[in-house]
Amino acid sequence: MATQCKKKPTQSSKQKSPSFKRQRGGFSPVELGLIKKEALKEARRCLSLGECESCEVCSLLCPDLCITRDEKTGEVLIDLDYCKGCGICASVCPKGAIQMVLEEGR
């Protein structure tokens, strides 16, 4: 039985820059920055918790090698038949996307 680590792709906001001609004309900032709405969106993207970013730290440190990536979809899969429940993956996940829960009937 495999479960999935749900990943929603997010894209960072692009900062606006003045034209090259205008940049050469003085010492004004090269990047104009983000407007308030874009800045808030970028902050939420960077500081979000609970969404897998596919960094693969969990699969690198899994002693049972039961965390893999689906080659077609790119989703992270956890094979619960081989997982012994040590919790290393959950403790090293920088986004907190992996939660350890007790199985029913145990």
Side-chain angles (χ1 to χ4, degrees):
M1 175 178 202
T3 129
Q4 296 178 356
C5 183
K6 305 229 186 300
K7 179 189 174 211
K8 297 176 185 173
T10 56
Q11 215 172 27
S12 61
S13 300
K14 301 246 182 204
Q15 293 190 9
K16 295 170 184 67
S17 300
S19 68
F20 181 71
K21 194 175 200 179
R22 188 169 171 203
Q23 289 177 22
R24 289 187 52 145
F27 293 98
S28 62
V30 175
E31 291 182 345
L32 300 176
L34 303 171
I35 61 173
K36 184 176 180 178
K37 184 178 178 181
E38 292 170 333
L40 288 171
K41 182 181 173 186
E42 184 68 7
R44 283 188 193 100
R45 183 188 71 82
C46 290
L47 301 173
S48 69
L49 290 176
E51 291 182 16
C52 176
E53 294 291 329
S54 298
C55 65
E56 297 188 16
V57 172
C58 57
S59 63
L60 292 171
L61 297 175
C62 178
D64 298 320
L65 304 174
C66 62
I67 302 175
T68 57
R69 178 180 300 284
D70 186 310
E71 292 180 18
K72 293 178 184 174
T73 64
E75 291 178 300
V76 176
L77 303 172
I78 302 172
D79 189 341
L80 297 178
D81 291 334
Y82 290 101
C83 177
K84 65 182 172 193
C86 66
I88 293 173
C89 58
S91 66
V92 299
C93 180
K95 293 291 187 173
I98 301 174
Q99 300 291 319
M100 300 296 294
V101 294
L102 289 174
E103 289 183 48
E104 291 183 30
R106 290 195 178 211

